[in-house]
Amino acid sequence: MPQDKTNDVNGCSTGSCKVSVASILTLTCPYCRATKLLQEGSWFRFQKGCKSCGFLFEREEGYFSGAVFMVNYPAVSLFVLIVGALTYWLFPQLSAIALASVISVASIVGGVSFWPYGRALWMVFDHYLHPKNDKDLEKFRQFKTNT
């Protein structure tokens, strides 16, 4: 029996599109991978949605709040812990202030570097667990007609 394509967005009907985990590394749309997530010239601002398939990156207000608390903080904390432990192991003669300085720099660099990847990871796994539905498709259509 042919599948109903009335709820179709760029060849994907409700629930039939699979998100791409590779889009986390490339920071592109998790459905079509045609549009970059980041706005031109910015490391911190995401675009509103995909200009190719109409997928909205932020499903609702505050959507990416979970990315900060459940992805970024643990990932950066683990990174800083590893950097601190390696620094202490490789350079045991460092003073506490020097070690604290290394850890501080690692936390800033790690936090800034991982920021968009944490949001992309959050978005991909959210859509993996909760695929597009009819409500999302309607938002996609409205976005697509407004762009």
mmCIF file of all heavy atoms in Angstrom, residues 73-99:
data_model
loop_
_atom_site.group_PDB
_atom_site.id
_atom_site.type_symbol
_atom_site.label_atom_id
_atom_site.label_comp_id
_atom_site.label_asym_id
_atom_site.label_seq_id
_atom_site.Cartn_x
_atom_site.Cartn_y
_atom_site.Cartn_z
ATOM 1 N N TYR A 73 27.584 20.969 30.278
ATOM 2 C CA TYR A 73 28.239 20.931 31.586
ATOM 3 C C TYR A 73 28.942 19.600 31.843
ATOM 4 O O TYR A 73 30.116 19.590 32.215
ATOM 5 C CB TYR A 73 27.254 21.238 32.712
ATOM 6 C CG TYR A 73 26.860 22.690 32.823
ATOM 7 C CD1 TYR A 73 25.723 23.065 33.510
ATOM 8 C CD2 TYR A 73 27.625 23.706 32.240
ATOM 9 C CE1 TYR A 73 25.349 24.394 33.620
ATOM 10 C CE2 TYR A 73 27.250 25.036 32.340
ATOM 11 C CZ TYR A 73 26.111 25.369 33.039
ATOM 12 O OH TYR A 73 25.738 26.687 33.145
ATOM 13 N N PRO A 74 28.271 18.456 31.659
ATOM 14 C CA PRO A 74 28.988 17.190 31.893
ATOM 15 C C PRO A 74 30.170 16.984 30.947
ATOM 16 O O PRO A 74 31.232 16.521 31.377
ATOM 17 C CB PRO A 74 27.925 16.116 31.671
ATOM 18 C CG PRO A 74 26.630 16.811 31.848
ATOM 19 C CD PRO A 74 26.848 18.223 31.419
ATOM 20 N N ALA A 75 30.008 17.323 29.668
ATOM 21 C CA ALA A 75 31.090 17.111 28.700
ATOM 22 C C ALA A 75 32.292 18.003 29.016
ATOM 23 O O ALA A 75 33.435 17.536 29.024
ATOM 24 C CB ALA A 75 30.595 17.377 27.279
ATOM 25 N N VAL A 76 32.039 19.264 29.301
ATOM 26 C CA VAL A 76 33.140 20.181 29.607
ATOM 27 C C VAL A 76 33.762 19.820 30.954
ATOM 28 O O VAL A 76 34.986 19.883 31.108
ATOM 29 C CB VAL A 76 32.656 21.651 29.564
ATOM 30 C CG1 VAL A 76 33.732 22.604 30.050
ATOM 31 C CG2 VAL A 76 32.232 22.018 28.140
ATOM 32 N N SER A 77 32.961 19.416 31.913
ATOM 33 C CA SER A 77 33.504 18.991 33.213
ATOM 34 C C SER A 77 34.423 17.789 33.061
ATOM 35 O O SER A 77 35.496 17.739 33.668
ATOM 36 C CB SER A 77 32.365 18.651 34.175
ATOM 37 O OG SER A 77 31.595 19.784 34.448
ATOM 38 N N LEU A 78 34.023 16.832 32.246
ATOM 39 C CA LEU A 78 34.868 15.661 31.994
ATOM 40 C C LEU A 78 36.164 16.076 31.300
ATOM 41 O O LEU A 78 37.254 15.614 31.669
ATOM 42 C CB LEU A 78 34.112 14.637 31.149
ATOM 43 C CG LEU A 78 34.863 13.360 30.813
ATOM 44 C CD1 LEU A 78 35.202 12.585 32.084
ATOM 45 C CD2 LEU A 78 34.041 12.504 29.864
ATOM 46 N N PHE A 79 36.058 16.954 30.319
ATOM 47 C CA PHE A 79 37.237 17.461 29.615
ATOM 48 C C PHE A 79 38.198 18.141 30.585
ATOM 49 O O PHE A 79 39.406 17.881 30.582
ATOM 50 C CB PHE A 79 36.805 18.429 28.505
ATOM 51 C CG PHE A 79 37.941 19.156 27.843
ATOM 52 C CD1 PHE A 79 38.790 18.499 26.976
ATOM 53 C CD2 PHE A 79 38.160 20.506 28.094
ATOM 54 C CE1 PHE A 79 39.845 19.166 26.357
ATOM 55 C CE2 PHE A 79 39.199 21.181 27.489
ATOM 56 C CZ PHE A 79 40.052 20.507 26.620
ATOM 57 N N VAL A 80 37.667 19.007 31.453
ATOM 58 C CA VAL A 80 38.496 19.741 32.413
ATOM 59 C C VAL A 80 39.122 18.786 33.422
ATOM 60 O O VAL A 80 40.292 18.935 33.794
ATOM 61 C CB VAL A 80 37.662 20.846 33.105
ATOM 62 C CG1 VAL A 80 38.398 21.428 34.296
ATOM 63 C CG2 VAL A 80 37.310 21.934 32.105
ATOM 64 N N LEU A 81 38.374 17.795 33.851
ATOM 65 C CA LEU A 81 38.906 16.794 34.778
ATOM 66 C C LEU A 81 40.088 16.046 34.150
ATOM 67 O O LEU A 81 41.128 15.855 34.788
ATOM 68 C CB LEU A 81 37.815 15.809 35.193
ATOM 69 C CG LEU A 81 38.226 14.717 36.164
ATOM 70 C CD1 LEU A 81 38.543 15.323 37.523
ATOM 71 C CD2 LEU A 81 37.130 13.694 36.290
ATOM 72 N N ILE A 82 39.938 15.657 32.892
ATOM 73 C CA ILE A 82 41.011 14.948 32.186
ATOM 74 C C ILE A 82 42.231 15.864 32.002
ATOM 75 O O ILE A 82 43.366 15.444 32.261
ATOM 76 C CB ILE A 82 40.506 14.398 30.834
ATOM 77 C CG1 ILE A 82 39.511 13.266 31.077
ATOM 78 C CG2 ILE A 82 41.658 13.932 29.959
ATOM 79 C CD1 ILE A 82 38.749 12.827 29.847
ATOM 80 N N VAL A 83 41.995 17.099 31.582
ATOM 81 C CA VAL A 83 43.110 18.040 31.404
ATOM 82 C C VAL A 83 43.807 18.290 32.737
ATOM 83 O O VAL A 83 45.047 18.284 32.812
ATOM 84 C CB VAL A 83 42.620 19.368 30.779
ATOM 85 C CG1 VAL A 83 43.685 20.453 30.876
ATOM 86 C CG2 VAL A 83 42.227 19.160 29.334
ATOM 87 N N GLY A 84 43.048 18.486 33.795
ATOM 88 C CA GLY A 84 43.638 18.714 35.115
ATOM 89 C C GLY A 84 44.442 17.524 35.604
ATOM 90 O O GLY A 84 45.567 17.680 36.108
ATOM 91 N N ALA A 85 43.891 16.323 35.441
ATOM 92 C CA ALA A 85 44.597 15.118 35.876
ATOM 93 C C ALA A 85 45.875 14.896 35.061
ATOM 94 O O ALA A 85 46.926 14.572 35.629
ATOM 95 C CB ALA A 85 43.674 13.902 35.759
ATOM 96 N N LEU A 86 45.792 15.084 33.745
ATOM 97 C CA LEU A 86 46.981 14.924 32.905
ATOM 98 C C LEU A 86 48.046 15.967 33.228
ATOM 99 O O LEU A 86 49.238 15.650 33.275
ATOM 100 C CB LEU A 86 46.603 15.007 31.420
ATOM 101 C CG LEU A 86 45.980 13.758 30.811
ATOM 102 C CD1 LEU A 86 45.509 14.034 29.389
ATOM 103 C CD2 LEU A 86 46.957 12.606 30.833
ATOM 104 N N THR A 87 47.613 17.192 33.452
ATOM 105 C CA THR A 87 48.559 18.248 33.797
ATOM 106 C C THR A 87 49.259 17.933 35.120
ATOM 107 O O THR A 87 50.480 18.071 35.239
ATOM 108 C CB THR A 87 47.850 19.615 33.881
ATOM 109 O OG1 THR A 87 47.207 19.868 32.634
ATOM 110 C CG2 THR A 87 48.825 20.731 34.184
ATOM 111 N N TYR A 88 48.483 17.505 36.097
ATOM 112 C CA TYR A 88 49.060 17.169 37.406
ATOM 113 C C TYR A 88 50.016 15.971 37.304
ATOM 114 O O TYR A 88 51.062 15.933 37.928
ATOM 115 C CB TYR A 88 47.941 16.878 38.412
ATOM 116 C CG TYR A 88 48.446 16.601 39.797
ATOM 117 C CD1 TYR A 88 48.939 17.628 40.594
ATOM 118 C CD2 TYR A 88 48.445 15.308 40.313
ATOM 119 C CE1 TYR A 88 49.421 17.384 41.871
ATOM 120 C CE2 TYR A 88 48.924 15.051 41.585
ATOM 121 C CZ TYR A 88 49.407 16.092 42.364
ATOM 122 O OH TYR A 88 49.886 15.842 43.616
ATOM 123 N N TRP A 89 49.639 14.993 36.470
ATOM 124 C CA TRP A 89 50.457 13.790 36.309
ATOM 125 C C TRP A 89 51.747 14.091 35.548
ATOM 126 O O TRP A 89 52.820 13.621 35.913
ATOM 127 C CB TRP A 89 49.634 12.723 35.591
ATOM 128 C CG TRP A 89 50.332 11.422 35.409
ATOM 129 C CD1 TRP A 89 50.784 10.574 36.378
ATOM 130 C CD2 TRP A 89 50.671 10.813 34.165
ATOM 131 N NE1 TRP A 89 51.375 9.470 35.818
ATOM 132 C CE2 TRP A 89 51.316 9.588 34.448
ATOM 133 C CE3 TRP A 89 50.474 11.158 32.826
ATOM 134 C CZ2 TRP A 89 51.775 8.735 33.457
ATOM 135 C CZ3 TRP A 89 50.918 10.298 31.848
ATOM 136 C CH2 TRP A 89 51.566 9.111 32.172
ATOM 137 N N LEU A 90 51.640 14.901 34.476
ATOM 138 C CA LEU A 90 52.816 15.209 33.653
ATOM 139 C C LEU A 90 53.729 16.269 34.273
ATOM 140 O O LEU A 90 54.927 16.272 34.025
ATOM 141 C CB LEU A 90 52.372 15.671 32.261
ATOM 142 C CG LEU A 90 51.694 14.608 31.387
ATOM 143 C CD1 LEU A 90 51.134 15.238 30.123
ATOM 144 C CD2 LEU A 90 52.664 13.492 31.052
ATOM 145 N N PHE A 91 53.145 17.180 35.046
ATOM 146 C CA PHE A 91 53.913 18.275 35.647
ATOM 147 C C PHE A 91 53.627 18.369 37.145
ATOM 148 O O PHE A 91 53.020 19.342 37.609
ATOM 149 C CB PHE A 91 53.569 19.609 34.968
ATOM 150 C CG PHE A 91 53.744 19.593 33.480
ATOM 151 C CD1 PHE A 91 52.658 19.469 32.630
ATOM 152 C CD2 PHE A 91 55.010 19.692 32.927
ATOM 153 C CE1 PHE A 91 52.808 19.449 31.261
ATOM 154 C CE2 PHE A 91 55.177 19.675 31.549
ATOM 155 C CZ PHE A 91 54.076 19.553 30.712
ATOM 156 N N PRO A 92 54.081 17.388 37.922
ATOM 157 C CA PRO A 92 53.757 17.388 39.360
ATOM 158 C C PRO A 92 54.397 18.554 40.124
ATOM 159 O O PRO A 92 53.957 18.881 41.222
ATOM 160 C CB PRO A 92 54.298 16.044 39.847
ATOM 161 C CG PRO A 92 55.295 15.622 38.836
ATOM 162 C CD PRO A 92 54.883 16.244 37.536
ATOM 163 N N GLN A 93 55.393 19.197 39.531
ATOM 164 C CA GLN A 93 56.066 20.299 40.208
ATOM 165 C C GLN A 93 55.292 21.618 40.106
ATOM 166 O O GLN A 93 55.673 22.599 40.750
ATOM 167 C CB GLN A 93 57.494 20.477 39.659
ATOM 168 C CG GLN A 93 57.586 21.068 38.268
ATOM 169 C CD GLN A 93 57.346 20.077 37.139
ATOM 170 O OE1 GLN A 93 56.997 18.921 37.369
ATOM 171 N NE2 GLN A 93 57.514 20.530 35.904
ATOM 172 N N LEU A 94 54.219 21.677 39.314
ATOM 173 C CA LEU A 94 53.441 22.915 39.161
ATOM 174 C C LEU A 94 52.810 23.320 40.487
ATOM 175 O O LEU A 94 52.334 22.477 41.257
ATOM 176 C CB LEU A 94 52.320 22.736 38.134
ATOM 177 C CG LEU A 94 52.681 22.826 36.665
ATOM 178 C CD1 LEU A 94 51.447 22.615 35.804
ATOM 179 C CD2 LEU A 94 53.313 24.151 36.327
ATOM 180 N N SER A 95 52.782 24.601 40.722
ATOM 181 C CA SER A 95 52.130 25.114 41.931
ATOM 182 C C SER A 95 50.612 24.993 41.785
ATOM 183 O O SER A 95 50.091 24.798 40.679
ATOM 184 C CB SER A 95 52.513 26.571 42.151
ATOM 185 O OG SER A 95 51.942 27.385 41.143
ATOM 186 N N ALA A 96 49.921 25.131 42.875
ATOM 187 C CA ALA A 96 48.453 25.040 42.859
ATOM 188 C C ALA A 96 47.854 26.158 41.995
ATOM 189 O O ALA A 96 46.866 25.940 41.284
ATOM 190 C CB ALA A 96 47.907 25.110 44.277
ATOM 191 N N ILE A 97 48.445 27.323 42.022
ATOM 192 C CA ILE A 97 47.940 28.448 41.217
ATOM 193 C C ILE A 97 48.140 28.172 39.728
ATOM 194 O O ILE A 97 47.261 28.449 38.917
ATOM 195 C CB ILE A 97 48.614 29.769 41.640
ATOM 196 C CG1 ILE A 97 48.198 30.084 43.053
ATOM 197 C CG2 ILE A 97 48.317 30.873 40.651
ATOM 198 C CD1 ILE A 97 48.364 31.477 43.521
ATOM 199 N N ALA A 98 49.277 27.612 39.363
ATOM 200 C CA ALA A 98 49.526 27.281 37.950
ATOM 201 C C ALA A 98 48.555 26.195 37.484
ATOM 202 O O ALA A 98 48.011 26.287 36.382
ATOM 203 C CB ALA A 98 50.968 26.833 37.761
ATOM 204 N N LEU A 99 48.323 25.192 38.322
ATOM 205 C CA LEU A 99 47.382 24.119 37.974
ATOM 206 C C LEU A 99 45.965 24.686 37.847
ATOM 207 O O LEU A 99 45.244 24.344 36.907
ATOM 208 C CB LEU A 99 47.434 23.000 39.018
ATOM 209 C CG LEU A 99 46.559 21.786 38.738
ATOM 210 C CD1 LEU A 99 46.950 21.126 37.419
ATOM 211 C CD2 LEU A 99 46.665 20.793 39.884
#
